[in-house]
Amino acid sequence: MPELPEVETVRRQLEISILHKRIVSIEIRNKTSLRQSVALFTKKISGGNFESIDRIGKLLELKLNNGSILLVHLKMTGQLLYLENKQKLNIDKHTHVLINFSDSSILAFRDIRKFGYLSVVSAEELRKTEDNYGIDPLRKNFTREAFLQAFQKKKKSLKALLLDQKLIAGIGNIYADEICHISGLVPDSLVPGLSEKQLNTLFDSCLEIINKAVRYKGTTFRDYVSPDGMKGNFAYELKVYGREGKNCLSCKNGIITKITHAGRGTHFCGVCQK
DNA sequence: CTTTCTGTTAGAAA
DNA sequence: ATTTCTAACAGAAA
């Protein structure tokens, strides 16, 4: 579910709620949410505290004072929730991991579909993991030159490339469709057929959509909430995603079409996107 | 009731 | 080597 803007919203909220709190205990209610054994996971983070929180693409990196890094990927339905002690009533059967802090607050990992995971890694392992990711729109290396270069010699469709985390890190199904829309390009057009000008427009659109969605604290289409339980407001700004059969808000003439492309539901206006 | 769809991506298959 | 498809899972919608 969460794409870059949602994960960034989670990161920012955790940054102001859990840093420098001592981890006093850990409860694993579903061990398949961990990438390693319960014993090893517990040993590596017990007694520590989080010093900083970073993110690449949709992956959260919670840096501990002992040098380890807790990686969290939310996949489709994962949530990281910050709970005060009195909010323990919110803990349900989908809440798989609880990290208890010395002030009685809790960082809870909840995940209905159980695709998400937590993994404690070393600095070296983190470096290798980051090697699998392309440029992140909120990092300094997301330049026009790097963007154009990432698309060089690729024969896939526009949408397939936008979704490829090895090229651009953080864009998912919702934002890929929105980016194509404001670029005036149909998602299934082949990238080798795009002009230099169109690729430049695409670069601008990526930054425009991602930055706006971050300002709106992400999109809640179904399950997503930030650590304080709040929904994202970008759902009200969506122009094509989830709007099949409705009129195009941009050109006022077309009707939003939905097709399956690159294995995903794909939405666009056939009138103002070419 | 059954079938289809869903914001992700690792790994298999082609 | 590169691109496409499927499985992992749970639940809502059709």
Side-chain angles (χ1 to χ4, degrees):
Chain A
M1 116 189 158
E3 306 179 32
L4 187 158
E6 292 75 36
V7 179
E8 176 63 13
T9 301
V10 171
R11 190 196 69 77
R12 291 180 184 185
Q13 285 194 13
L14 292 182
E15 205 167 47
I16 60 176
S17 56
I18 68 165
L19 289 188
H20 312 303
K21 293 183 177 183
R22 193 167 65 86
I23 298 168
V24 293
S25 64
I26 295 140
E27 296 171 46
I28 309 300
R29 308 166 93 232
N30 171 45
K31 58 179 69 172
T32 66
S33 294
L34 304 184
R35 281 282 174 95
Q36 55 234 125
S37 71
V38 172
L40 193 57
F41 180 88
T42 303
K43 181 183 167 195
K44 287 190 171 183
I45 70 172
S46 291
N49 63 71
F50 297 115
E51 285 190 322
S52 62
I53 306 175
D54 294 322
R55 175 195 57 72
I56 184 163
K58 304 165 192 170
L59 184 68
L60 277 169
E61 309 168 345
L62 293 86
K63 314 268 173 91
L64 287 137
N65 62 328
N66 64 14
S68 293
I69 300 104
L70 172 62
L71 299 180
V72 181
H73 201 303
L74 302 173
K75 290 287 183 87
M76 294 284 268
T77 55
Q79 301 172 334
L80 276 177
L81 303 171
Y82 175 72
L83 307 177
E84 300 286 354
N85 189 41
K86 62 187 181 209
Q87 294 179 291
K88 282 189 174 174
L89 288 173
N90 295 351
I91 298 170
D92 63 5
K93 68 171 180 176
H94 298 301
T95 306
H96 307 312
V97 177
L98 298 172
I99 296 175
N100 300 298
F101 298 109
S102 54
D103 67 347
S104 293
S105 62
I106 301 167
L107 177 62
F109 175 71
R110 184 172 182 274
D111 187 10
I112 293 174
R113 291 177 72 180
K114 296 182 183 167
F115 293 172
Y117 64 85
L118 287 74
S119 177
V120 183
V121 301
S122 64
E124 173 63 10
E125 289 168 319
L126 173 62
R127 197 186 57 71
K128 287 179 187 166
T129 300
E130 287 213 350
D131 284 345
N132 294 322
Y133 283 89
I135 50 177
D136 182 302
L138 295 193
R139 288 194 180 187
K140 287 197 178 71
N141 62 2
F142 193 80
T143 61
R144 189 174 298 274
E145 293 69 31
F147 181 87
L148 295 174
Q149 205 239 324
F151 277 28
Q152 292 290 325
K153 299 205 303 187
K154 290 291 189 299
K155 291 176 182 156
K156 291 200 279 191
S157 70
L158 180 50
K159 177 155 178 175
L161 292 189
L162 288 173
L163 290 176
D164 188 342
Q165 303 299 301
K166 287 194 265 307
L167 297 180
I168 301 171
I171 294 173
N173 204 36
I174 293 179
Y175 298 113
D177 282 1
E178 297 298 316
I179 288 165
C180 289
H181 179 70
I182 68 163
S183 296
L185 298 167
V186 288
D188 60 356
S189 55
L190 288 175
V191 166
L194 298 181
S195 68
E196 186 88 2
K197 186 182 176 192
Q198 287 173 319
L199 288 173
N200 272 285
T201 298
L202 207 50
F203 171 77
D204 296 333
S205 300
C206 285
L207 285 175
E208 183 179 334
I209 290 288
I210 294 298
N211 281 315
K212 185 177 176 189
V214 169
R215 287 201 303 279
Y216 278 74
K217 298 181 165 55
T219 302
T220 295
F221 202 76
R222 294 187 66 155
D223 309 297
Y224 168 75
V225 290
S226 55
D228 61 5
M230 298 295 287
K231 296 178 176 181
N233 297 313
F234 197 75
Y236 303 106
E237 302 298 314
L238 295 175
K239 300 287 193 287
V240 288
Y241 186 87
R243 297 195 67 256
E244 59 269 28
K246 297 185 176 162
N247 64 310
C248 178
L249 298 171
S250 301
C251 71
K252 317 287 186 193
N253 293 319
I255 300 292
I256 304 304
T257 305
K258 182 183 179 185
I259 61 172
T260 295
H261 176 71
R264 316 295 300 277
T266 297
H267 315 69
F268 63 94
C269 170
V271 174
C272 66
Q273 289 176 256
K274 297 298 179 188

